[in-house]
Amino acid sequence: MNLRRWSAGVLAAALFVPGLAACKSESADSDGTAAASPTPADPKAALLASTQEISKGNFTFTMTGGPEVNGGGTVHLPSKSAEMKIATGAASADDMSMNMHLVFIDTDSWVKLELGGEMADAIPAFKAMKGKYQHIDRTKVKGAKNLEFDFADVDPAGSDALVKAVTDVKQTGEGAYAGTLDASKLTDSDMLDADDIKKLGEKAGALPFTAKLDGQGRLTEFTVQMPAVGDTKAYDMTVRYADYGTATPVQKPPAKQVVEASDQIYEMFKD
């Protein structure tokens, strides 16, 4: 889930699909359900151990992919529920902004997509769907993986893969680390996809990063500093985790706000 690229893609799709009708940010310590192991003294070992708690699937998160893209949500594996909220800001009143809320409970999914800005008026019947969640028919989601949630792989950012790609790291303070990673080694991280890495060229081999761990050695923040490439200015890709072991189950949308998803929704979210 590369927020910067994926959100822009959904916005673009919304403009060209005719007749469309239908992440807590605090990184403070939290009391988990079980005490974590002591943080290893070796910086690389500490980072590798820091992602283990994420796999238990009980946390909240936020992700940012530049100044105009923000997201966050909850993962609660005990109830097989998760949610994600994504917002893209408009550079001006003439541009389109987007707010999206995705809800996943077991095999059910819902999506609420709201567009703002003058360009949103170009989408027929959009106003009629404002505030409505569209329920996803699971038989139609093949090829639209962003309308599903893999409860066997609960990390929204793939931080474990990022940590494994670290080539150099030093501890810079209490629970604070910095170094470089080789993005060309990444095979399973949603923060950086193959397109991003290809555009970076040789720069992908040594991307600066910073990381923060809480008092129990759990990852609370990981930032990759993306360099300027072509017309794209330098920006940070950041994921933050909180509420380990204390997240609450995600609730399904109120029935009065739910309609069945249109065919256009499935088309928008296809790979």
Side-chain angles (χ1 to χ4, degrees), residues 3 23 34 50 114 121 164 167 182 184 191 212 243 266:
L3 289 183
C23 332
S50 72
E114 295 188 340
D121 293 333
K164 289 179 179 177
T167 54
D182 184 353
S184 67
M191 279 185 68
K212 295 180 182 178
D243 301 313
Y266 297 101

Side-chain angles (χ1 to χ4, degrees), residues 91-110:
S92 69
D94 295 332
D95 293 332
M96 181 181 288
S97 62
M98 177 183 74
N99 286 287
M100 182 163 54
H101 187 194
L102 289 156
V103 177
F104 310 93
I105 299 178
D106 200 0
T107 59
D108 276 316
S109 304
W110 295 264

Side-chain angles (χ1 to χ4, degrees), residues 120-206:
D121 293 333
I123 301 176
F126 172 76
K127 292 182 179 180
M129 293 306 301
K130 189 173 183 178
K132 297 291 186 181
Y133 286 86
Q134 300 194 57
H135 178 254
I136 306 304
D137 181 347
R138 300 286 293 185
T139 66
K140 296 182 179 180
V141 297
K142 188 175 182 179
K145 69 177 183 180
N146 290 311
L147 292 177
E148 298 183 277
F149 188 87
D150 185 359
F151 286 101
D153 182 14
V154 296
D155 186 359
S159 292
D160 183 62
L162 290 171
V163 168
K164 289 179 179 177
V166 168
T167 54
D168 179 65
V169 58
K170 294 180 180 179
Q171 185 168 0
T172 58
E174 185 69 27
Y177 301 83
T180 57
L181 61 83
D182 184 353
S184 67
K185 295 181 178 180
L186 290 174
T187 58
D188 192 25
S189 174
D190 288 320
M191 279 185 68
L192 294 172
D193 65 12
D195 290 340
D196 291 323
I197 296 170
K198 185 177 181 180
K199 291 176 182 178
L200 290 172
E202 294 182 356
K203 295 180 180 179

Side-chain angles (χ1 to χ4, degrees), residues 180 196 216 235 246:
T180 57
D196 291 323
Q216 297 185 47
Y235 65 97
T246 61

